[in-house]
Structures are given as structure tokens and as C-alpha cells.
Amino acid sequence: MDQKKIGSFLKELRKDKGITQEQFAEKLGVSGRTISRWETGSNMPDLDILIQIADYYDVEIREILDGERKSEKMNKDLEETVLKVADYSNKEREIITKRMHILFLIGVICFIVYIALEALGMADSGFTEKIASFALGFSFGMLIVGVIYTSRYMVKIREFKMRMLKRG
């Protein structure tokens, strides 16, 4: 998959429609800068947006992914399968995002507990020291998880996990 070629094709399709990047961005609910990134090939649209783009320009998803027009029509079953995969992907992403929000909220609460115990001078002795240590550790752990989750390393971790599962 050649992102530069796809970007050029998306730009060609937009110009054929006679609209600006900003106008197209408004139709999709994204920023003009996002459209620019797609058209330069530095970024790719999500699958659900790719489907919207294909519908708007009246082209097949395969044509966009190939970066050129094709003469044959995409099989309807294949198109339905792609739509189902997009829906599944979005639902899976929503579930993971909800779980991460809950964990981050717990991390913030733990950090507030730690700050409160520290401010009251109760974080240095006894049982409250254990609570303060746990709260600080958990909140720091959630910070690390957040950095990993929002970075490109999450993809690498998932790929490593899949390789390990296939070996087992």
C-alpha cells in the first residue's frame, strides 16, 4: 500500500469534485490539516472515514487503497464484509477507550489520595504510609500505561503479543 499514491488519488478526487480541503474536512467532521495529511500521504484515514470518503466520491474502497481507478466493480459481499470489519473495529476501540478512561480516573483518584495524605502528614508512618505508597504507585503506573497506550508502542506490543500467542 503506497500512502503517497493514495494521497495523490484522494487529492485528485477532491479536485475533480471542485471543493477545497476545508470544505471536504467540514463534510467529514475533521480538520483541514487532517485532509492535507491524507493527501500528502503522511497519514491515512480510519476505516470508517475511508468508507465515507468512498461513498462521497462514488469510488470503491479498493480503488482508494490502490490509489487509482479500476474498471471492475467491487463485489457487494466484500463491501459488506469491510463495513462489518469497520463496525467491529469501532466497537472494539470504544470498549478499550472506556476501560482506559476508568483506569485513568482511578489513577487520578489515587493521586489525590496520596496528595491528601502527604498534605496531612499521614504519608510517613503506619497503615496510611502503605495506602499512600500504593496510591502513588498506582497513579504512576496509570501514567506509564497512558503514555504507552497513546504512543505508537501499543501497536508494537500488540504485534509482539500476537507473535508470542502463535508460538504457544
Side-chain angles (χ1 to χ4, degrees):
M1 196 166 58
D2 184 353
Q3 283 189 214
K4 299 279 186 207
K5 188 175 179 183
I6 294 169
S8 296
F9 185 60
L10 289 173
K11 185 175 184 177
E12 175 188 325
L13 291 171
R14 180 182 54 78
K15 288 192 176 210
D16 287 348
K17 277 275 194 189
I19 60 172
T20 65
Q21 288 181 341
E22 288 76 23
Q23 290 169 329
F24 189 48
E26 191 174 311
K27 288 185 186 307
L28 294 177
V30 298
S31 71
R33 190 172 187 185
T34 299
I35 301 294
S36 174
R37 287 181 182 151
W38 294 343
E39 291 182 359
T40 59
S42 62
N43 235 342
M44 288 290 294
D46 289 337
L47 187 57
D48 53 332
I49 293 179
L50 195 63
I51 293 168
Q52 291 176 24
I53 293 170
D55 286 343
Y56 180 76
Y57 289 136
D58 195 28
V59 296
E60 297 172 4
I61 295 171
R62 183 174 44 176
E63 290 176 304
I64 294 174
L65 294 177
D66 289 341
E68 59 190 20
R69 292 195 183 270
K70 300 286 182 196
S71 58
E72 71 271 2
K73 283 291 182 188
M74 180 186 247
N75 184 331
K76 269 294 187 199
D77 291 338
L78 180 59
E79 188 174 345
E80 287 177 18
T81 301
V82 169
L83 292 172
K84 287 178 185 176
V85 168
D87 287 342
Y88 177 79
S89 176
N90 287 337
K91 287 177 184 173
E92 186 176 310
R93 190 179 315 140
E94 285 177 22
I95 290 168
I96 291 171
T97 301
K98 285 179 184 177
R99 288 178 183 164
M100 293 307 295
H101 284 151
I102 291 169
L103 287 174
F104 290 151
L105 182 61
I106 293 170
V108 168
I109 291 169
C110 284
F111 189 69
I112 291 169
V113 167
Y114 170 76
I115 294 293
L117 290 173
E118 189 67 37
L120 295 171
M122 298 171 63
D124 295 333
S125 63
F127 183 67
T128 55
E129 178 183 12
K130 293 180 193 292
I131 293 173
S133 295
F134 172 79
L136 183 60
F138 190 84
S139 60
F140 184 69
M142 285 299 95
L143 179 66
I144 292 171
V145 167
V147 169
I148 291 172
Y149 183 74
T150 58
S151 71
R152 297 183 191 265
Y153 292 111
M154 192 65 185
V155 173
K156 292 180 181 179
I157 290 170
R158 188 173 293 132
E159 288 171 357
F160 176 74
K161 178 179 140 186
M162 294 309 290
R163 281 195 312 266
M164 295 306 289
L165 288 173
K166 287 179 183 175
R167 286 185 189 167

